Structures are given as C-alpha cells and as structure tokens.
Amino acid sequence: MFGSGAGQDPRRPRPEGPGRALVLADLVADEVAEPDVVSFVEDSVAQRRWWVEQWPEGVDFVAGLVAQDVQDALLERYGRWPLCPVCGSGDPHALDVEPELGADPHWVCAKAGVLVAAVGSLGSVRR
C-alpha cells in the first residue's frame, strides 16, 4: 500500500508525512536539525512506513513514534533531547513523549508532571 510508492495514488497523503514534519519542526526549534540528525528522522520514517503497512489503524500514532525513535537515536549518539525547559534547577533531563503509543502526542516533563508542548510545537516554548 505505501511501500516503495509504486502504484500509490499521488493525491493521497503519505501517513508518515505529518510525523516527519512535526519532529523536524522540533529539531529546528532546538537548532539541532543538522544533516546527520535529519537522517535519524528519515530512518524512522522508513521504518514506520512499513509499520503502517502492517497496521493501518496505527497511522495516527506515527508522529509520536517518530519522535521517540529520533529521541532514542540522539541519546545513543549525542545525548538527551529535547531538554526540559520547565525545570530550572537540578540535572538537565529530557522530555518524554506521551502517550507512548497513541494519537496527539505531546512532550511532557515527567519530573514536574506537566505537559510542555505538542510534538511539533517546541518552538512555542523555546522563544
């Protein structure tokens, strides 16, 4: 259905499109959208495309999953991302994506127990 794109209706939006755009917006907001980091997004999108082919009902979960995939890849290579803008003291810590598997994902600070921003909207709290 979404595989290589062969035979796909070009008018039909690709399910991973919004997830890619939202995570890229957050990376840009944090000024970390370097080519190697963007490649993490592309790798995740490719994997999630297959995932949606297997479970089409999960298309609304893609944005949160891509955010988590990129967060994990960044942790392995560079460190925590995105850093919490809420907690001003103590050790820097990353935000979490909630729900872990669900629609309408948000960045949350588990330490303070607060919702920080929707995935794709970190720029609104970074200014």
Side-chain angles (χ1 to χ4, degrees), residues 9-126:
D9 183 344
R11 297 165 295 182
R12 184 176 182 177
R14 296 181 70 113
E16 70 278 359
R20 172 190 284 126
L22 293 172
V23 174
L24 285 174
D26 287 342
L27 291 167
V28 168
D30 275 355
E31 300 178 355
V32 295
E34 299 296 324
D36 59 332
V37 174
V38 172
S39 71
F40 297 149
V41 176
E42 298 306 321
D43 291 346
S44 174
V45 164
Q47 292 172 354
R48 296 308 173 178
R49 186 177 302 129
W50 176 88
W51 185 80
V52 169
E53 288 173 359
Q54 307 307 307
W55 188 45
E57 297 81 14
V59 70
D60 292 335
F61 305 165
V62 171
L65 292 169
V66 171
Q68 291 174 48
D69 291 345
V70 171
Q71 189 176 38
D72 291 346
L74 283 168
L75 180 61
E76 288 178 21
R77 175 104 29 108
Y78 298 108
R80 297 179 192 107
W81 176 84
L83 292 178
C84 179
V86 175
C87 298
S89 62
D91 290 330
H93 57 277
L95 298 173
D96 295 329
V97 175
E98 287 187 10
E100 288 186 23
L101 183 62
D104 194 27
H106 285 75
W107 295 109
V108 299
C109 173
K111 185 175 179 181
V114 298
L115 184 142
V116 175
V119 169
S121 297
L122 278 179
S124 67
V125 297
R126 296 292 197 215

